[in-house]
Amino acid sequence: MLWRLSVVFSMATFEDFKGLRTRGYLRDSTRDQREGFGPALQRHAIQRFASMYGLDLHDHWYEEYVSGRSVERRREFARMVGDAQAGAFDVLLCFHTSRFARNREDAAAYKRRLARSGVTIIFVSQGIISGTHEHFVAEGVFEVLDESRSREIGRFVGAGLRQKFEAGLANGVPPLGYQNEPGPAGRRVRKVPDPRTLPVLRALLGAYATGRYSYRSLARWLNSRGMRTRLGKPFTKAAVEEILANRFFAGQIVWHPGRPDEEVRTGIHDVPDDIRELWNRCQSVRSRNATRFVHQSGERRVYPLSGGLAICDACETDYYGQRHKERDGRFTRRLHHNRDARCTVRPRSQRADLFENQLAEGILKDFRLPRGWKARVLQALRGDFESDRERAELARLSRALHALRRQHLWGDVSDAEYKQERDQIRAHLRRVDIPVANVDLNRAGQLLSDFHGLWTHAGVTDRQRRDLARQVFRQVRIRGDRIVAVTPRREYMPLFAAALRVCGGRGERI
């Protein structure tokens, strides 16, 4: 591994990669295809580059069709990272920096992870070898431009979706039983009943309205009769639940459901009277069924480490909380691994209290800050002990800002573009360089010292434990039945570093 890393960072030309094991990464969305980033173009450019410089590609590809700035929903991307960590290849060819990531935080994090695995990324259309001194400034500028462009597209798309909502049109793909009606100039604007799938919707709603089925048993019943979803796939518990919770069948459209700015309006789509009546009856059944899984306090079960905090150390997917019925009829609280199909980590799930106890007993039970910790932490926050990652990030952004100024002076960038990109880089610089005044050290130190007592106190609710965990930690990494690493939030990192000198690491990665 060390040899591979030394080779990667010494390479400065494409010829140096000849014969190395290579794989290609393709990412596409409908919008990207219209703008010239289609999969055929990406594949051809990558193949041509590999052939030109003698890279060992051998038709090894990661290909997916997903949009957005986050990499969370990219299964092939997660598989690629896992293969890289397993040492499956040496070089990743990507058509453009925007295909790899469209926000700088993800780009920096995953480039570091691949670099630690001995993998070099090459962006073939821009001629960039990621991480090299020669391409450092250009790579940083392209990352800023990619995120800026993605945000601009997001604003336009958001404005268009809002206009459709205000006109009474439902956004998104049509639900079961409906299809898009072509509008002017071929645009699909209105959702109308689909004679092909409407009978399936009636059967689903009618069966659940009897009260004899759960989501899972209803999915099995539908599948046993050969019924399928709108996309022709078998029904799952989640698919049934999504249909029964969709207010579209009550004639409503919803803007940002579940968010603070949620807004409900009457849609202009037609809902047959029998569908509307069945859906309303189903809501009564759902309400009755839900009371079986509600605490005496009236609050649903909250899982302190679920919701993106706990993730698998092997494949980066998250854990979710769910009540599990044991063979003796008791219900237990469990964390389930939202596992990628290729992840081999076992077991599939564990009792939630196992990890909750590990967090308090194994990591923060004996948390103690040494004498003089405050001065040491203040010195670290001012930059004397600034990490290599932060120094590299600050240097990268500073160089990107310098390059942008030079382009502006040369006339390659207009005044408006210069101001917009300069403000974005400066904003990111402010986020990287945390002011000491923003950190209440006394409060943070007291909270960490009291963490074990607060976490284990009988009067503290799961909701309060969840808020406490999210205040202190950004990530908890699990492998099998053990917590193997925790990542504190930025303001708590110097305090953990100071405390580790006293209490040791206990075998966990922090």
Side-chain angles (χ1 to χ4, degrees):
M1 176 65 72
L2 292 177
W3 175 85
R4 284 204 296 153
L5 282 173
S6 65
V7 171
V8 166
F9 287 112
S10 67
M11 290 179 176
T13 65
F14 299 133
E15 288 79 3
D16 293 322
F17 295 94
K18 183 176 181 179
L20 292 184
R21 299 170 301 164
T22 304
R23 297 194 177 180
Y25 177 73
L26 308 177
R27 184 182 69 81
D28 184 36
S29 68
T30 303
R31 180 173 297 276
D32 297 327
Q33 204 166 26
R34 290 200 302 265
E35 296 173 356
F37 289 118
L41 183 146
Q42 295 181 47
R43 189 185 301 272
H44 176 73
I46 290 173
Q47 288 175 330
R48 186 169 179 269
F49 182 93
S51 175
M52 183 180 301
Y53 293 103
L55 279 74
D56 186 15
L57 182 59
H58 284 311
D59 207 31
H60 290 147
W61 301 93
Y62 302 98
E63 183 174 356
E64 58 193 343
Y65 300 88
V66 61
S67 59
R69 286 190 294 274
S70 174
V71 300
E72 292 180 357
R73 295 187 295 117
R74 297 199 210 166
R75 291 186 177 274
E76 284 294 284
F77 190 91
R79 184 168 74 91
M80 177 270 293
V81 173
D83 289 348
Q85 292 174 331
F89 60 98
D90 306 305
V91 180
L92 181 71
L93 297 183
C94 196
F95 177 72
H96 192 274
T97 51
S98 63
R99 303 301 89 206
F100 184 81
R102 272 188 162 172
N103 72 78
R104 288 161 288 174
E105 183 177 353
D106 283 345
Y110 285 100
K111 286 175 182 178
R112 284 195 303 270
R113 186 174 300 178
L114 292 178
R116 287 196 296 267
S117 302
V119 173
T120 302
I121 310 169
I122 300 178
F123 301 107
V124 299
S125 68
Q126 297 148 305
I128 290 177
I129 303 174
S130 180
T132 58
H133 176 74
E134 293 83 357
H135 300 141
F136 186 80
V137 175
E139 186 176 6
V141 171
F142 275 118
E143 286 178 357
V144 173
L145 295 176
D146 292 338
E147 182 170 354
S148 173
R149 183 169 175 275
S150 179
R151 290 180 178 274
E152 183 179 2
I153 290 173
R155 286 196 297 269
F156 285 129
V157 171
L161 293 176
R162 182 65 192 184
Q163 288 180 355
K164 287 183 63 178
F165 173 77
E166 291 178 352
L169 295 166
N171 288 312
V173 298
L176 181 69
Y178 280 77
Q179 61 184 346
N180 286 316
E181 179 185 52
R187 294 179 59 194
R188 297 175 176 178
V189 294
R190 188 167 177 266
K191 293 173 174 57
V192 296
D194 180 5
R196 182 178 58 87
T197 58
L198 195 60
V200 180
L201 176 64
R202 282 196 175 93
L204 185 153
L205 297 177
Y208 190 82
T210 64
R212 297 196 299 266
Y213 296 95
S214 65
Y215 299 145
R216 184 172 282 108
S217 63
L218 180 54
R220 288 197 296 263
W221 181 82
L222 293 167
N223 293 334
S224 68
R225 283 157 176 75
M227 299 183 190
R228 294 294 182 262
T229 66
R230 185 183 65 88
L231 298 177
K233 297 181 179 181
F235 281 95
T236 62
K237 173 182 175 291
V240 171
E241 184 176 8
E242 181 181 357
I243 292 168
L244 292 171
N246 194 342
R247 285 171 276 185
F248 179 93
F249 301 114
Q252 298 176 337
I253 56 174
V254 186
W255 178 258
H256 289 172
R259 298 185 188 178
D261 60 341
E262 177 180 296
E263 185 178 342
V264 182
R265 294 190 179 188
T266 300
I268 64 172
H269 58 278
D270 295 327
V271 181
D273 292 339
D274 62 326
I275 295 294
R276 191 188 300 263
E277 181 183 355
L278 283 172
W279 189 86
N280 288 330
R281 285 168 54 190
C282 288
Q283 304 319 299
S284 300
V285 176
R286 291 182 70 219
S287 179
R288 288 200 306 270
N289 290 344
T291 59
R292 304 175 189 174
F293 306 102
V294 178
H295 286 287
Q296 293 179 355
S297 63
E299 292 187 355
R300 291 183 178 273
R301 177 71 69 182
V302 176
Y303 295 81
L305 300 184
S306 65
L309 185 61
I311 69 168
C312 174
D313 189 53
C315 69
E316 305 290 329
T317 55
D318 62 351
Y319 281 77
Y320 64 94
Q322 192 173 64
R323 281 163 54 94
H324 177 75
K325 188 174 183 179
E326 304 291 348
R327 292 182 178 180
D328 59 4
R330 295 180 301 108
F331 281 93
T332 57
R333 301 164 60 249
R334 300 186 75 88
L335 282 181
H336 294 262
H337 183 188
N338 235 349
R339 182 182 288 105
D340 183 274
R342 298 169 181 82
C343 182
T344 59
V345 168
R346 296 292 187 272
R348 181 179 296 275
S349 66
Q350 282 284 3
R351 292 178 61 117
D353 55 5
L354 173 69
F355 300 120
E356 293 165 11
N357 291 339
Q358 285 184 31
L359 186 65
E361 302 293 338
I363 297 175
L364 287 170
K365 182 178 181 179
D366 300 322
F367 185 91
R368 288 184 294 120
L369 289 166
R371 288 185 178 182
W373 67 271
K374 186 180 292 186
R376 187 178 300 163
V377 168
L378 285 171
Q379 191 177 23
L381 288 172
R382 290 190 181 100
D384 291 350
F385 299 120
E386 191 178 55
S387 67
D388 292 339
R389 179 177 67 84
E390 299 301 338
R391 278 199 297 270
E393 181 73 358
L394 288 170
R396 182 181 69 82
L397 291 169
S398 298
R399 289 190 176 97
L401 187 59
H402 178 67
L404 183 64
R405 287 170 179 158
R406 292 174 62 185
Q407 289 179 326
H408 182 238
L409 289 173
W410 294 338
D412 294 336
V413 176
S414 67
D415 291 345
E417 291 174 329
Y418 169 72
K419 290 178 181 178
Q420 181 182 11
E421 293 167 18
R422 178 201 61 188
D423 292 344
Q424 290 173 347
I425 296 176
R426 285 179 174 176
H428 194 57
L429 278 168
R430 287 194 295 270
R431 288 196 296 270
V432 173
D433 190 16
I434 292 183
V436 175
N438 287 348
V439 181
D440 188 338
L441 294 179
N442 289 325
R443 179 178 178 277
Q446 188 64 48
L447 178 63
L448 292 180
S449 299
D450 296 342
F451 188 97
H452 179 266
L454 292 171
W455 189 269
T456 58
H457 194 281
V460 176
T461 66
D462 285 335
R463 191 178 300 276
Q464 290 170 325
R465 289 189 181 93
R466 181 194 64 186
D467 295 340
L468 179 61
R470 278 160 175 70
Q471 182 173 345
V472 175
F473 298 104
R474 187 168 63 84
Q475 194 176 87
V476 176
R477 302 181 73 89
I478 294 174
R479 181 178 284 272
D481 59 356
R482 291 186 62 246
I483 294 178
V484 297
V486 293
T487 303
R489 291 199 172 276
R490 171 83 182 255
E491 57 268 32
Y492 292 97
M493 284 185 178
L495 280 75
F496 273 93
L500 283 174
R501 300 187 180 191
V502 177
C503 62
R506 293 184 175 273
E508 290 87 6
R509 305 197 311 268
I510 295 182

